[in-house]
Amino acid sequence: MSDLSIKKCVPCSRKELRPMTEEAAQHLIRQVGEWNLVNEGGTWKLHRSWKVKTFMRGMEFFQLIAALAEAEGHHPDIHLVGWNNVKIDVWTHAVGKTTIFATRTY
């Protein structure tokens, strides 16, 4: 099994890019602790939630996520739910499926 922590996102415009199967996604999700694989309307997404101490901490976390996402060229859906719950959904929008898993320590 390859180390997902060293993998990088690839451009979605690559013609050979294909959605991974549910079986492959279920196998790989074991490597990204604390993340979940969720199916929303037939689209498999990586999902994770964090509780933050204050609203401003949540906004600071958003900025960290945004900088990393921009560097990777892969932009997640980021939500601030209530005042202290940060939620992220990651999938490859171009194919409407989960295609690439990545993990980083924050």
Side-chain angles (χ1 to χ4, degrees):
M1 193 177 311
S2 64
D3 183 356
L4 293 176
S5 68
I6 61 172
K7 293 201 176 268
K8 297 285 185 184
C9 290
V10 297
C12 294
S13 60
R14 291 176 50 174
K15 293 187 189 288
E16 67 271 9
L17 188 67
R18 299 286 181 261
M20 69 173 52
T21 65
E22 178 183 350
E23 181 180 329
Q26 293 290 352
H27 179 73
L28 289 172
I29 192 66
R30 297 178 197 137
Q31 291 188 47
V32 287
E34 300 182 31
W35 287 81
N36 297 302
L37 188 62
V38 296
N39 185 332
E40 291 184 6
T43 299
W44 287 98
K45 301 177 180 182
L46 287 172
H47 175 83
R48 183 158 177 202
S49 299
W50 292 264
K51 283 204 180 271
V52 292
K53 291 184 179 185
T54 67
F55 176 79
M56 290 309 295
R57 290 276 188 185
M59 298 310 293
E60 290 168 6
F61 190 39
F62 267 40
Q63 290 179 322
L64 291 171
I65 295 165
L68 177 61
E70 188 65 21
E72 292 289 330
H74 195 81
H75 305 98
D77 286 358
I78 308 170
H79 310 274
L80 183 60
V81 181
W83 60 271
N84 71 335
N85 296 293
V86 176
K87 297 184 179 195
I88 298 178
D89 293 306
V90 180
W91 77 101
T92 301
H93 298 79
V95 292
K97 304 284 183 178
T98 299
T99 58
I100 302 162
F101 283 78
T103 183
R104 299 251 184 167
T105 302
Y106 298 100

